[in-house]
Amino acid sequence: MALRPNNNYRGNKREEEPYRINQLIRGVEEVRLVGENIEIGVYPFAKALAIAESQNLDLVEISPKAVPPVCKVIDYAKFKYDQKKKQKEIKANATKTVIKEIRFGPNTDEHDFNFKLKHAVNFLKEGAKVKAYVHFVGRTIVFKERGEMLLLNFAKGLEDVGKPDDMPKLEGKRMSIIFSPKVAKK
C-alpha cells in the first residue's frame, strides 16, 4: 500500500489587512492627507509619509479609489481596534428572528390543539415567529382538508396576538403556515 501525502496542511491563514499602510501604499504620486494635528491638503507621497513618521503614527490609505487617494495619519493598531469595536456593536444591535415550530397530526385532538395554541400564544408574545405545520404520515395525506381546517382554526385562535404571513400551503407531506407577532417585543 502506497502512502499518500498528508493533505491536512492548511497553509498560512494570515488575515489580509483591509487597508494599505506606510510603505505598502504603492503606485501613488500624491495623496490627500487628513488626520489630527496636521494641515489637511494634497501632499506628495514621500512628504505625507515623513509627516506620519515625525508624529510616530502610521499613514493609512482610507479611500484608495479617490483622486488623489485619501490617507489618514493615525495609530493603525488603535484604528483597527476601533473598527472591530464598531463591527461588534453593529452585530450586537442586529435583531435575530427566532422561528418556533409547532407540529400537528391531521387527527390532533381538542386538548392537544389547545395546549399547542397556548404555547404559540406565549411564543408570539415573546416576539418569536411561529411555524405551525400538519405532518401527514403514510395514508393520512388523504385528510388534506382536515389539516387545512386545523391550521385555519389555529390561525383563528392566534388572531389577537399574531397574524399569518400567508394561507396554509402543502409542501410534500407537510402543510404549513407561518405567524408573525402583531406587537414586537420591546
Side-chain angles (χ1 to χ4, degrees):
M1 183 171 137
L3 291 173
R4 277 192 260 153
N6 187 359
N7 289 334
N8 290 337
Y9 181 71
R10 287 182 176 79
N12 266 350
K13 287 249 180 174
R14 238 178 53 188
E15 196 176 306
E16 194 173 308
E17 297 293 336
Y19 300 98
R20 296 192 301 178
I21 60 170
N22 299 334
Q23 277 77 24
L24 296 177
I25 304 171
R26 293 198 177 98
V28 178
E29 301 286 321
E30 290 182 325
V31 294
R32 181 173 304 280
L33 203 58
V34 295
E36 296 174 15
N37 304 326
I38 54 163
E39 184 130 352
I40 296 171
V42 177
Y43 292 92
F45 174 71
K47 186 174 182 191
L49 193 59
I51 291 171
E53 286 175 355
S54 70
Q55 295 184 7
N56 289 332
L57 295 172
D58 299 305
L59 185 67
V60 181
E61 189 177 40
I62 301 296
S63 178
K65 290 187 173 50
V67 179
V70 178
C71 292
K72 193 171 188 179
V73 176
I74 46 174
D75 181 8
Y76 187 61
K78 185 178 181 206
F79 174 71
K80 271 178 61 175
Y81 172 75
D82 289 340
Q83 291 290 336
K84 277 187 181 176
K85 207 168 162 184
K86 281 181 189 172
Q87 290 298 323
K88 247 186 187 175
E89 197 173 302
I90 289 169
K91 195 175 179 182
N93 291 340
T95 55
K96 294 171 183 78
T97 307
V98 178
I99 297 180
K100 301 282 190 173
E101 289 192 357
I102 295 181
R103 176 184 168 160
F104 293 101
N107 301 321
T108 302
D109 288 335
E110 187 71 28
H111 175 264
D112 292 338
F113 177 81
N114 291 333
F115 183 80
K116 291 177 181 189
L117 183 69
K118 189 170 67 177
H119 279 283
V121 168
N122 289 339
F123 293 149
L124 288 168
K125 283 181 181 174
E126 290 170 7
K129 285 188 166 192
V130 173
K131 179 179 183 178
Y133 66 91
V134 179
H135 191 74
F136 298 101
V137 183
R139 291 185 184 161
T140 58
I141 196 74
V142 177
F143 303 116
K144 285 184 222 153
E145 299 81 32
R146 216 184 271 181
E148 191 171 1
M149 290 302 296
L150 191 75
L151 290 178
L152 291 173
N153 286 340
F154 195 69
K156 208 176 286 177
L158 292 176
E159 66 187 358
D160 45 324
V161 287
K163 57 185 182 300
D165 292 354
D166 52 7
M167 291 302 289
K169 57 180 178 258
L170 187 67
E171 298 163 350
K173 292 184 175 187
R174 285 183 169 192
M175 184 177 286
S176 63
I177 186 169
I178 297 176
F179 297 91
S180 299
K182 276 191 176 172
V183 180
K185 184 182 167 191
K186 290 175 183 151

